[in-house]
Amino acid sequence: MDLQKLIRDIPDFPKPGIVFKDITPMLLAPKALAYSADQLATLCKEASIDKVIGIEARGFILGGMLAERLNAGFVPVRKKGKLPYTVNSKAYGLEYGEDVLEIHTDAIRKGDRVVIHDDVLATGGTANAVCELVRELGGEVVQCNFIMELAFLKGRERLDCEIASLLTY
Ligand code: AMP
């Protein structure tokens, strides 16, 4: 299946100079959704996974589908102030700005084998912050996976774990 046809480029969003990779056409196609989740599950099927983390907000969609396929729990990592229980927080830099991500303190147990999922790997700041949140709670990051990787931003170089993506730009 050609997923690339279902990813739309939006120039100058949310800021001038950024080409935003819009996955909403892909979300409209049920077969593409199922195919993507199956492919991501295949990429980590050898590992026994306890938790899949989805990064707010676009990481929730395939992250949830992947958790179901791996028979793992799903953990939302959200922007500051959105999670209701006690949290650990981490500030991070984005391709276009800065923010704080949070995780519930009971979401990861010591020794949990964790997969982190998001739609896009850009500079790697977001995924790296989530890796740190997982490790601080005693979890092991088995893989970070993405629908797509913007290779020219070299996010890979910032992450010290296995990385998998369905598409590379
Ligand atoms: P980064 O921390 O630079 O790797 O940025 C990754 C996060 O920002 C992900 O949550 C993406 O959803 C979002 N993001 C960064 N750049 C883009 C882009 N060009 N198109 C769509 N989303 C992006």
Side-chain angles (χ1 to χ4, degrees), residues 12-151:
D12 299 320
F13 183 88
K15 285 186 177 172
I18 303 290
V19 179
F20 190 87
K21 295 289 186 186
D22 177 20
I23 61 165
T24 59
M26 187 186 130
L27 301 182
L28 288 171
K31 284 192 177 133
L33 269 181
Y35 171 81
S36 302
D38 288 344
Q39 290 293 110
L40 289 172
T42 304
L43 290 171
C44 48
K45 72 169 189 292
E46 301 302 333
S48 133
I49 302 301
D50 300 298
K51 308 274 166 59
V52 175
I53 291 182
I55 305 177
E56 182 172 0
R58 294 181 295 278
F60 289 173
I61 304 154
L62 277 168
M65 294 174 73
L66 178 59
E68 182 273 331
R69 280 158 170 78
L70 295 177
N71 194 30
F74 176 76
V75 175
V77 161
R78 301 204 62 183
K79 305 277 169 63
K80 190 179 171 63
K82 301 281 187 183
L83 287 171
Y85 185 62
T86 51
V87 294
N88 282 357
S89 307
K90 188 71 66 185
Y92 69 108
L94 267 181
E95 188 188 0
Y96 44 77
E98 211 178 78
D99 224 329
V100 173
L101 285 174
E102 295 185 334
I103 190 168
H104 274 159
T105 50
D106 66 348
I108 304 293
R109 297 203 177 133
K110 270 200 173 48
D112 270 355
R113 292 169 55 77
V114 178
V115 165
I116 296 169
H117 171 77
D118 203 358
D119 62 338
V120 176
L121 172 63
T123 65
T126 307
N128 187 52
V130 179
C131 287
E132 288 178 10
L133 285 170
V134 169
R135 288 172 183 145
E136 283 166 14
L137 288 170
E140 180 192 345
V141 180
V142 175
Q143 183 186 88
C144 284
N145 67 40
F146 306 89
I147 300 172
M148 76 201 90
E149 179 178 344
L150 308 182

